[in-house]
Amino acid sequence: ACFRLLCSLLIPALFLSGILCICLVVLLWGIRLWIQQRKKQLSSAGRDGKRPLLVAFFHPYCNAGGGGERVLWCAIRTLQKKYRNVTCVVYTGDRDATGEEIVEGAFRRFNIKLIHPVKFVFLEKRYLVEASLYPHFTLLGQSLGSVFLGWEALLKCVPDIYIDSMGYAFTLPLFKYLGGCRVGCYVHYPTISTDMLSVVRNQDTRFNNAAFITSSPLFSKFKLVYYYFFAFMYGLVGSCSDVIMVNSSWTLNHILSLWRAGACTSVVYPPCDVQTFLDIPLEVEKSTSEYSIVSVSQFRPEKDHPLQIRAFAKLLKEKRVGQQPSLKLILIGGCRNQQDEERVNNLKRLCEELGVGNDVMFRINIPFEELKRHLAEATIGLHTMWNEHFGIGVVECMAAGTVILAHNSGGPKLDIVVSYEGHVTGFLADSEDNYAEMMAYILSLSPEKRLEIRENARRSVHRFSNQHFEDTFLLSVEPLFK
């Protein structure tokens, strides 16, 4: 009797599910047709009577001044050089600045001058992708928020080609299936990675895995299930991209395992303005009475500035025995918002607590020329992010002639601080003690030995030049323009 009842319910349920699926398909098809109609109404012909090809970049924080923004402006300039009948559009949430100010900021920070004007589409709902809005289930919250932000972008401007240049993969199906666009993406950092899964599985405490979760097997298991579900969804949306560009071997490995779209995935190293830094004369250090250690990275939690300060304090403590040269740590970086400024204040407090307040300098949102000057004078370039996806700051330090000391993981380990023609190009470390030891070792080398390492590093960075980026970027996006 139960079996008969189940059978009698199953057929109507399947019928109802089929009708709902058909209704959903019809609804989505209707939305797509409506969006296409809207595209025709909003688009206008150029001077030659032809409608320009609209290439839109989804970059809600295009005025942030980090490595991701350097990629954005270089990509736009590259397309403007190659294609005449292309209008570049940037979807941004930076409503506190005008388009002219944003373009001027790109020139001031990165020395990148665009050939043609860019159209900016200002978005009002950027708060939906702010991490602070989602104290729990942050990844899921931000990803769903990006869908709503992407919908706002799509309604305001329907492009021919859509490129997500900031890691919002959940917007890709929206533009592909509803917007009817050819879609591509440049992945700086996978939203979730197999490393993140292993951190939760091993119950390690990190900035994105709180102690109260690691101390509870139940919470850890629940978070692991959530991460696996999210990784599955992330792989689903990412695999619908027509062109996938990743910034390093480390990112490539993760994206291949999650998105499984090897045929359209390629490594496009970010453009580093190596030539500008290579122009700095390389000489044996003149001063042996004062050394500076420079760090270049945005003030974000994953960059792990506290590790730099603690390792530096340890180095000073050990070096203050006898007559030693004076040491300065200079932290150079961009502050995007109030949270970043608060983070800087906390770092300043940490310096005071460790007794190194007078030995650590903070240089925030500085002009390009000042950055160059600090790098030219520095002995060591410091970088401490665990699993940094690439590390533009690492390349800049090497090109400028500092002896680099980076984290023994991610892009620096796999792509950048690797031996070049059999010669040492820099050093890697992975803990407070290790960093302090390596800094002491670098400072103990003779100026001639340091010069040799600096010269090797300089020769190795040509593969990260603007020109190399332009060539590989154009090769990768070519299928979108066919």
Side-chain angles (χ1 to χ4, degrees):
C2 280
F3 180 71
R4 237 181 278 123
L5 179 67
L6 281 171
C7 284
S8 65
L9 288 172
L10 185 65
I11 291 162
L14 286 171
F15 181 69
L16 191 63
S17 300
I19 287 182
L20 285 171
C21 284
I22 291 165
C23 288
L24 185 64
V25 168
V26 169
L27 176 68
L28 292 174
W29 188 252
I31 292 171
R32 183 182 164 118
L33 289 175
W34 174 69
I35 287 171
Q36 293 306 307
Q37 196 59 39
R38 192 178 170 83
K39 181 180 179 177
K40 283 175 189 166
Q41 289 166 359
L42 293 173
S43 62
S44 55
R47 287 177 195 168
D48 56 358
K50 289 181 186 172
R51 191 182 71 79
L53 196 70
L54 280 186
V55 181
F57 290 83
F58 190 75
H59 210 105
Y61 296 89
C62 74
N63 204 27
E69 288 66 60
R70 164 174 272 286
V71 170
L72 169 72
W73 302 119
C74 270
I76 289 172
R77 184 179 63 183
T78 303
L79 291 181
Q80 288 180 343
K81 272 190 206 173
K82 166 86 174 175
Y83 298 100
R84 285 191 177 179
N85 197 36
V86 155
T87 297
C88 290
V89 177
V90 177
Y91 296 118
T92 179
D94 292 300
R95 293 187 300 145
D96 55 346
T98 64
E100 290 80 13
E101 285 168 345
I102 293 171
V103 170
E104 175 55 37
F107 177 62
R108 196 177 67 251
R109 288 184 187 123
F110 307 120
N111 209 22
I112 296 170
K113 200 159 185 65
L114 300 179
I115 300 159
H116 306 297
V118 169
K119 182 182 171 189
F120 287 93
V121 174
F122 291 94
L123 307 174
E124 290 166 33
K125 295 185 177 65
R126 188 177 73 178
Y127 64 89
L128 291 173
V129 296
E130 292 277 358
S132 56
L133 193 63
Y134 312 99
H136 306 293
F137 301 101
T138 313
L139 293 180
L140 190 61
Q142 284 183 293
S143 297
L144 291 174
S146 74
V147 174
F148 287 102
L149 189 64
W151 177 248
E152 183 195 345
L154 187 57
L155 290 184
K156 285 185 172 175
C157 174
V158 187
D160 300 293
I161 295 168
Y162 171 79
I163 298 172
D164 163 43
S165 51
M166 215 181 155
Y168 292 106
F170 283 75
T171 62
L172 294 166
L174 193 69
F175 279 83
K176 182 168 186 172
Y177 300 118
L178 293 184
C181 314
R182 280 158 279 168
V183 300
C185 60
Y186 187 97
V187 185
H188 296 274
Y189 199 84
T191 306
I192 190 164
S193 65
T194 47
D195 288 329
M196 285 164 73
L197 291 168
S198 68
V199 162
V200 179
R201 200 184 300 113
N202 302 333
Q203 293 178 241
D204 292 341
T205 304
R206 298 260 178 185
F207 78 91
N208 58 354
N209 197 36
F212 80 89
I213 288 174
T214 58
S215 60
S216 163
L218 181 68
F219 281 155
S220 286
K221 281 193 171 59
F222 180 75
K223 186 167 183 177
L224 195 59
V225 169
Y226 156 57
Y227 266 21
Y228 272 114
F229 165 74
F230 185 83
F232 170 73
M233 293 301 293
Y234 182 59
L236 215 58
V237 296
S239 62
C240 77
S241 191
D242 301 310
V243 162
I244 302 161
M245 293 167 278
V246 297
N247 66 343
S248 69
S249 306
W250 182 86
T251 309
L252 176 72
N253 295 337
H254 288 287
I255 288 298
L256 287 178
S257 69
L258 291 163
W259 291 13
R260 303 185 188 282
C264 57
T265 307
S266 55
V267 176
V268 177
Y269 288 129
C272 306
D273 194 6
V274 292
Q275 196 49 55
T276 306
F277 292 105
L278 291 171
D279 290 341
I280 297 169
L282 202 59
E283 299 156 353
V284 176
E285 301 139 36
K286 294 181 185 79
S287 167
T288 51
S289 61
E290 188 177 80
Y291 293 118
S292 68
I293 298 163
V294 168
S295 153
V296 183
S297 56
Q298 284 185 312
F299 289 101
R300 303 207 307 254
E302 64 271 25
K303 298 297 182 182
D304 207 352
H305 288 92
L307 172 58
Q308 299 180 2
I309 294 164
R310 286 195 299 269
F312 178 69
K314 192 170 276 258
L315 172 72
L316 280 192
K317 198 175 173 186
E318 287 160 10
K319 285 192 81 65
R320 278 199 175 132
V321 184
Q323 287 295 97
Q324 296 289 350
S326 74
L327 283 173
K328 277 254 182 277
L329 173 62
I330 304 167
L331 302 179
I332 300 171
C335 272
R336 302 162 299 170
N337 48 37
Q338 202 180 337
Q339 283 174 305
D340 287 358
E341 284 163 25
E342 220 170 274
R343 208 166 280 123
V344 169
N345 291 332
N346 290 337
L347 292 171
K348 286 177 179 174
R349 278 194 287 275
L350 177 65
C351 292
E352 295 302 329
E353 283 166 26
L354 296 171
V356 293
N358 296 330
D359 306 297
V360 180
M361 282 171 63
F362 288 82
R363 307 298 296 128
I364 296 153
N365 298 333
I366 60 171
F368 189 74
E369 286 307 311
E370 194 181 334
L371 166 69
K372 252 174 79 173
R373 185 170 56 77
H374 282 299
L375 286 175
E377 293 167 1
T379 303
I380 298 173
L382 195 59
H383 194 271
T384 47
M385 180 176 165
W386 170 73
N387 271 341
E388 168 73 271
H389 38 302
F390 179 71
I392 287 180
V394 175
V395 174
E396 288 176 347
C397 285
M398 288 166 76
T402 70
V403 178
I404 192 69
L405 174 57
H407 201 283
N408 192 19
S409 63
K413 179 186 180 179
L414 295 175
D415 292 307
I416 307 171
V417 192
V418 293
S419 71
Y420 182 72
E421 294 175 354
H423 299 294
V424 173
T425 58
F427 300 92
L428 299 165
D430 56 12
S431 68
E432 190 182 312
D433 289 342
N434 207 194
Y435 270 99
E437 282 164 24
M438 290 312 299
M439 284 190 279
Y441 173 71
I442 294 165
L443 294 169
S444 73
L445 295 171
S446 67
E448 290 75 23
K449 182 63 185 166
R450 278 199 294 269
L451 181 65
E452 194 185 305
I453 294 166
R454 291 156 69 205
E455 284 171 342
N456 296 337
R458 276 196 152 184
R459 280 197 296 274
S460 76
V461 297
H462 284 286
R463 62 215 160 97
F464 307 122
S465 66
N466 285 339
Q467 190 55 53
H468 190 264
F469 168 81
E470 288 182 12
D471 296 342
T472 51
F473 177 77
L474 287 173
L475 204 61
S476 298
V477 297
E478 205 177 335
L480 299 175
F481 289 84
K482 282 178 179 172

